[in-house]
Amino acid sequence: MNRRTFLAAALCGTLQLLLAGGAVAASGGVQPSRPAPAKPAPKGKAAPAAPARKTQGRVSAPQRGAQRPAKAASRARAQTVEPDLAPARAVSQPTQPLPAETSESVRDYLYKMRNFDEVHPSDIVLTPERYALMGGLVDRLDRLQRTVGHGFFYLLSLDEAMRQARRPAVGAFSRAELEFIDDVFHADAKNYGFLGKKPLSTLTSVIPQREVVKVPGMGNYLYRGDAHETWLTIQRIMGEQVVLTSGVRGIVKQLHLFLAKAEANGGNLSLASRSLAPPGYSFHGVGDFDVGQRGYGIRNFTSDFTGTEVFRKLEERGYITLRYPRDNFLGVRFEPWHVKVIA
């Protein structure tokens, strides 16, 4: 029994409890099943979604959040400068066929992961009221990031964010927004389909500036010690070819990325979690970082990165220990750019 067959069999039971099954593909019997396509929505209206599972707390509800077309389109255009939020559909590496005995629930799960930026019937979404609240919160976080600067925003704790938000250019967080943040942080991400660990369990976690170092010319921070030393070694090997595309992210930065992704997709928390860990669940908060090929742009955040000289050399030298490998069972898309520092 090969490793893929073993993993599929071992995790089948767990996935059947966590994920909705889809129909097995009729053609060939070896590809992940694809749910029936949703009926196209009338122009200007949100597409209907199948009933979704209810999450803990007040974060989401079993219906699709109402769209705000002009706002969503504007934010989607703005995401071209935020690599973590931009669509990553380009795939140059062929996916491996699944063993014929792979269960229906595993096929459905892998289909979702391979089509992470699509809407799936079991996705968890916000109610229209919560979606509107989230939109206002994302706007405030946008203003806060512009006001304090992108670099400082990476390290910002929630308490400091609340202090900085008192500036007129930002505006203080409302009680409803703070309750929403609390709900999102303490919700069980398994309800969205995210199955990874949660390395940060405290909403008010602080990143001491003495524990991080700003990487010259990259606009990102890394933790001193293993993370920074690993980067310096990679940089010595690769020279100018390699860039640090993302380093340390505090709770507020991860919250902003996660909510902005969900807001741009109609309040779909499951879709967001397939690309961005919910706040508290990101290992960027404790040491991991992302690398890319200089001049490769947004494609550094797609499977195309595996075809670059940077990836090939790092893989040859053993520096690519992936946090989220292809067809992982953590509920996260394939991330060949993510350097695992913390076990």
Side-chain angles (χ1 to χ4, degrees), residues 113-132:
M113 294 306 104
R114 295 176 182 183
N115 298 274
F116 55 85
D117 243 1
E118 294 182 6
V119 175
H120 299 286
S122 60
D123 284 355
I124 298 298
V125 296
L126 296 175
T127 63
E129 294 76 17
R130 302 287 278 175
Y131 178 52

Side-chain angles (χ1 to χ4, degrees), residues 11 19 57 89 91 98 106 116 159-160 184 208 215 236 241 246-247 264 267 269 291 305 317 326:
L11 290 164
L19 305 166
R89 297 183 182 279
V91 178
L98 301 177
V106 172
F116 55 85
D159 288 339
E160 182 62 25
V184 170
V215 179
R236 281 195 298 270
Q241 283 185 298
S246 187
L269 301 176
V291 296
F305 176 62
R317 293 172 180 259
R326 192 186 302 279

Side-chain angles (χ1 to χ4, degrees), residues 88-93 231 234 238 241-246 289-316 319-322 324 326 333-340:
R89 297 183 182 279
V91 178
S92 60
Q93 302 296 310
W231 163 251
I234 289 174
M238 302 303 305
Q241 283 185 298
V242 68
V243 291
L244 178 67
T245 54
S246 187
F289 58 87
D290 298 337
V291 296
Q293 173 91 34
R294 186 176 296 278
Y296 211 54
I298 198 64
R299 294 176 70 191
N300 280 319
F301 293 89
T302 74
S303 295
D304 288 348
F305 176 62
T306 59
T308 65
E309 186 73 5
V310 166
F311 181 86
R312 184 183 66 79
K313 287 186 177 180
L314 293 180
E315 187 175 42
E316 287 176 354
Y319 282 96
I320 296 295
T321 303
L322 298 183
Y324 303 114
R326 192 186 302 279
R333 63 172 171 163
F334 175 41
E335 293 193 351
W337 56 85
H338 186 128
V339 176
K340 180 179 177 180

Side-chain angles (χ1 to χ4, degrees), residues 133-325:
L133 175 62
M134 180 180 67
L137 175 57
V138 171
D139 287 343
R140 193 178 311 284
L141 291 170
D142 287 344
R143 296 196 299 272
L144 179 60
Q145 181 172 244
R146 290 194 301 269
T147 300
V148 303
H150 286 255
F152 184 49
F153 192 74
Y154 279 114
L155 308 180
L156 210 60
S157 69
L158 181 59
D159 288 339
E160 182 62 25
M162 292 170 64
R163 284 191 287 271
Q164 295 289 340
R166 296 188 187 119
R167 299 185 186 188
V170 181
F173 292 95
S174 69
R175 180 175 179 178
E177 287 172 341
L178 292 174
E179 289 177 350
F180 183 87
I181 291 171
D182 189 80
D183 287 346
V184 170
F185 184 82
H186 290 105
D188 187 348
K190 289 186 177 67
N191 290 308
Y192 311 148
F194 184 93
L195 308 177
K197 296 179 181 179
K198 189 174 186 178
L200 295 174
S201 59
T202 305
L203 177 56
T204 54
S205 294
V206 175
I207 300 172
Q209 291 206 27
R210 66 180 180 276
E211 294 183 8
V212 299
V213 57
K214 191 169 186 179
V215 179
M218 300 294 171
N220 287 289
Y221 291 84
L222 289 173
Y223 275 102
R224 297 182 184 275
D226 290 346
H228 189 221
E229 290 168 10
T230 299
W231 163 251
L232 291 176
T233 301
I234 289 174
Q235 196 174 39
R236 281 195 298 270
I237 294 170
M238 302 303 305
E240 293 297 316
Q241 283 185 298
V242 68
V243 291
L244 178 67
T245 54
S246 187
V248 176
R249 297 181 199 153
I251 294 292
V252 173
K253 176 63 177 182
Q254 195 67 29
L255 173 77
H256 183 220
L257 290 172
F258 179 72
L259 294 186
K261 180 74 173 181
E263 200 247 357
N265 288 277
N268 191 322
L269 301 176
S270 295
L271 185 152
S273 74
R274 290 191 286 269
S275 295
L276 287 154
Y281 288 87
S282 174
F283 277 82
H284 281 269
V286 292
D288 287 7
F289 58 87
D290 298 337
V291 296
Q293 173 91 34
R294 186 176 296 278
Y296 211 54
I298 198 64
R299 294 176 70 191
N300 280 319
F301 293 89
T302 74
S303 295
D304 288 348
F305 176 62
T306 59
T308 65
E309 186 73 5
V310 166
F311 181 86
R312 184 183 66 79
K313 287 186 177 180
L314 293 180
E315 187 175 42
E316 287 176 354
R317 293 172 180 259
Y319 282 96
I320 296 295
T321 303
L322 298 183
R323 174 73 62 188
Y324 303 114

Side-chain angles (χ1 to χ4, degrees), residues 4-34:
R4 184 177 297 277
T5 304
F6 173 77
L7 283 174
L11 290 164
C12 174
T14 302
L15 289 167
Q16 286 174 332
L17 294 175
L18 294 170
L19 305 166
V24 179
S27 174
V30 294
Q31 295 298 324
S33 61
R34 177 166 187 161

